[in-house]
Structures are given as structure tokens and as C-alpha cells.
Amino acid sequence: MADALSCMFHALRNHLSRTLALATLCTLGLVLATTPAFADDVITTIDISGKGSNTTVTIDKPGSYRLYGSSSTTWVHVKTGNVTLYLADGLNINPGISANTGKTCPSIKIENTGGTVNIISEANAQAKLSSYLTSPAIQKEGTQTKLVFSTADSEHPGTISATAASGSMSAGIGTNYKLVSNGVTGNIVFKSGKVIARGGTDAAGIGGGSGGSVDGITIEGTANIEAYGSAGGAGIGCGFHGTMRNITIRGGNVTAKGGDSGAGIGCGRDEQGLTHGAITIEGGTVNATGGGFGAGIGGSFRSKVNSIVIKGGTVKAIAGEYACGIGSGGGTAPGRIRMWRSISAAEPSLPKGVAKRAPSAPMATDTTPKKANTLQQPSREVPSSLPRATP
């Protein structure tokens, strides 16, 4: 009899334990449902609101961090790689004179230590970042650290707006003014979500500040990018007197506008006659507009892009005054352009003083020495400049 009662007691206790556990999980499920859905990792939440003057949020350990709140006295310094930053809806970092003892100050600075830093906008989030004096909104110097932009929910993408101070001579996302930085940025990838970047004077929207160079920007997936350079800077590319290498677009939706003397995608104003690296478009929808003397895609004033390869996507390139839609900027010898037959490209606008050819007239010849065609599909040469009209 005692054994029977003992068995009944243990069975009842186990039943009650399972019922209590299920109730607890259900309760937790209700709580977790009210929080953002993230990966299965530990997230440190940082409220930047209400901080005192000259507050630096230092992140020096790998991990995941969620930023929210609003402040003009705080900025974020990422000193290590393998970090994920989640940007919450309503995040507004607007550093002013009291953010860094009156010194130049970005919203987020990423050190060149290696590893990967992910910046992820939460679903439907609107995050605003800016800068003070000569700093980008998001400052990334060097190419050792990989910077990746994405959104937590591709069906409800968030938006990150990165605007450099108007007179900063710094990119919206990229390098500082070269005299106060190493002036090189790259290894930046945009995968999803919307990013709007605006550069300061002589700077690119995404890429180099004044004198700043870029080596490696990739746009792919479902990224929605808007990049606006100021006078002297490209929309996406380098700043005034900088160099540009390796811009690749594989997907997404890209709108890029250069400032005066800047290309939409490519070079900033260059008075030194430099030859710049490759621009490759493999997919996506691209709308690129150059400023005066700037190509829609390619060179700017007195600069030449060594290689422009377009083999997919839908591309519309509008030239600034005295430049080509795709190809050279004003005052520049032609470079080399290759297009696949599958490309759907809008006719570039013609520079002032250049006559539009009759349909039966032969195309102008690119006098640049030709190299062996290494493409895997048939391609055709496209002239990167047109002769001026005979008076």
C-alpha cells in the first residue's frame, strides 16, 4: 500500500511540474513577443539619452549591442571587430560642441582593427546619424575591418540616414578630411535595408572625404542606397583629389548624385589627372547623375576611370555639363568601357557643344590601346567620348 501511494505521489508531482513549466514558457513567450526579434545571442542595450557632456560610448569587446534614444552630447566608438550594432527606431545621434570637448566628432567611429562590424537597422526603424566639424556621420578609416549594412527584417526594412556636417569635408559614410585622418576607406558592403548618405563639402556621400580615397564598396541583395556628394565629391566614390578603386554593384536599388565636378558613381574632382580603378555593375537598378564636368558613371574633371564593366541590371546614367553619361569627365581623355548585350541602359546625355550623330553615322572610335578581351560572354566596345560638333 505504501509503495502504491508513493508512486501516485511522484506521478502527481511530475504532472504538476510539467504544467508549471508550460505555463512559465507561455508567459515568457508573451513577454518576448513584445521585444524585437533578433538572432539567438546576448544583446547589450545602450540608451544614449540623458548622458552628460562629452560622453563616449566605448565598445571594446566583441558582441551585439542595441542603440536607442536621442543625444547631442554622445557618440559611439567601436574599437574592436566582430561587433553587431542594432539601430532602433527613433535613434538620433546629433553630436555638437559638447559631445567631444569641442573636437571633431562622428556619430559612430569604427577603428581599423580587423574582423567584421555589422550595422543593422531594426524593422521599420528610422535612425538618424550626423557629425560635428570635420567628421563623417559614420567614420571608417582603412580597409582591415569589414563593415556590413543590413536590416533585421527585409520585408519591413529600416532606414539609416548618415549626414556629414555641411562644411566637414567628410563623407556621409567613409573617411574624414585627409589632413586629420589616413584618408582611405573600403571593405564596405551594403546587403539590405535603406541607407541615405550625404557628404560634406568636397566629399562623397559614401566613400572618401576631401582628399580621401576609396578601395572596395559593394552593393548587393536588396539594399536600397541613396548617396549624395557635395561640390567636388562623387555620390559613391572618392572626394576631391582622392582616388577610387573597386566599386561593385551586384543588386539592390542605387541612386547616386555627384556634387559639382563629381561623378554620380566614380571620381570626385581631380586636377591631377589621375587614373582610377574599376567600376563593375552586375545587377540591380542604378540611377547615377554627375555634377558639372562629372560623368554619371566614371570620371570627373580631369580624371579617368581605367575600367567600367557593365554586364547586368538596369542602368541610367546622366552626365553633368561637358562630361559623358558613362565614361570620362570633362577635360579628360577617354577610358575603357565594356558592356554586355543584356544591359538595359539609358542613353547618356551629351555634353554641350557636342552634336548628336545621325543613326546611320559610324560611332566614334575609342583610341585607347585595346587589351585582350577576357570576358566570358560576347561584349562590345562602347565609345566613352564623342567628338565636338564642327562649327
Side-chain angles (χ1 to χ4, degrees):
M1 183 67 176
D3 290 340
L5 290 174
S6 177
C7 290
M8 291 177 62
F9 173 77
H10 285 297
L12 179 61
R13 185 180 63 178
N14 291 338
H15 174 74
L16 290 174
S17 297
R18 288 193 298 270
T19 303
L20 180 60
L22 288 172
T24 302
L25 287 174
C26 289
T27 303
L28 285 175
L30 290 173
V31 173
L32 292 174
T34 63
T35 62
F38 299 121
D40 294 331
D41 54 6
V42 177
I43 299 173
T44 301
T45 299
I46 301 173
D47 182 1
I48 67 167
S49 304
K51 306 293 185 182
S53 297
N54 305 316
T55 298
T56 303
V57 174
T58 301
I59 297 175
D60 54 9
K61 295 181 180 179
S64 298
Y65 302 83
R66 182 174 185 255
L67 304 177
Y68 73 98
S70 177
S71 178
S72 62
T73 62
T74 303
W75 63 291
V76 179
H77 194 177
V78 180
K79 291 187 173 183
T80 185
N82 302 322
V83 167
T84 296
L85 299 179
Y86 292 99
L87 307 189
D89 184 35
L91 177 70
N92 187 357
I93 306 178
N94 183 25
I97 191 171
S98 59
N100 192 26
T101 60
K103 299 178 183 177
T104 178
C105 186
S107 285
I108 299 174
K109 182 177 181 180
I110 298 165
E111 293 291 353
N112 192 35
T113 56
T116 300
V117 173
N118 295 286
I119 297 182
I120 302 176
S121 58
E122 293 182 7
N124 293 322
Q126 297 289 325
K128 297 181 179 180
L129 309 173
S130 58
S131 68
Y132 177 68
L133 293 180
T134 55
S135 278
I138 299 176
Q139 183 174 354
K140 181 188 184 298
E141 306 287 345
T143 60
Q144 289 184 346
T145 301
K146 183 177 183 178
L147 176 59
V148 180
F149 288 86
S150 63
T151 188
D153 185 347
S154 59
E155 294 185 0
H156 304 91
T159 299
I160 300 171
S161 296
T163 303
S166 60
S168 66
M169 295 184 285
S170 297
I173 299 172
T175 72
N176 205 331
Y177 177 37
K178 188 176 181 180
L179 292 182
V180 294
S181 72
N182 68 15
V184 178
T185 192
N187 201 6
I188 303 174
V189 181
F190 299 87
K191 291 189 172 183
S192 62
K194 185 171 184 177
V195 175
I196 304 171
R198 300 179 187 273
T201 304
D202 288 338
I206 299 173
S210 180
S213 300
V214 61
D215 187 358
I217 294 176
T218 301
I219 300 172
E220 60 188 26
T222 58
N224 186 356
I225 307 300
E226 295 182 16
Y228 305 94
S230 289
I236 299 174
C238 60
F240 177 62
H241 279 188
T243 57
M244 181 279 302
R245 293 182 179 86
N246 301 320
I247 295 176
T248 303
I249 300 174
R250 298 193 178 105
N253 194 320
V254 180
T255 298
K257 294 184 179 181
D260 189 38
S261 299
I265 299 174
C267 308
R269 182 181 176 91
D270 174 15
E271 297 175 346
Q272 304 172 85
L274 300 175
T275 298
H276 301 259
I279 299 172
T280 303
I281 300 176
E282 300 175 350
T285 299
V286 179
N287 290 278
T289 304
F293 292 93
I297 299 172
S300 62
F301 182 68
R302 292 186 180 175
S303 69
K304 181 174 69 175
V305 176
N306 187 47
S307 173
I308 302 173
V309 177
I310 301 176
K311 54 183 180 180
T314 300
V315 176
K316 181 178 181 181
I318 301 175
E321 212 170 41
Y322 304 111
C324 296
I326 300 175
S328 302
T332 311
R336 180 173 174 80
I337 306 170
R338 292 181 288 181
M339 292 186 185
W340 259 258
R341 299 182 189 277
S342 61
I343 188 68
S344 173
E347 179 184 272
S349 59
L350 299 179
K352 282 188 175 180
V354 177
K356 185 172 182 179
R357 291 178 174 273
S360 60
M363 299 184 75
T365 302
D366 183 350
T367 58
T368 305
K370 304 297 188 295
K371 297 180 182 179
N373 186 356
T374 59
L375 303 179
Q376 297 179 354
Q377 302 182 39
S379 65
R380 61 185 176 89
E381 295 294 336
V382 178
S384 57
S385 67
L386 295 173
R388 293 192 176 276
T390 303

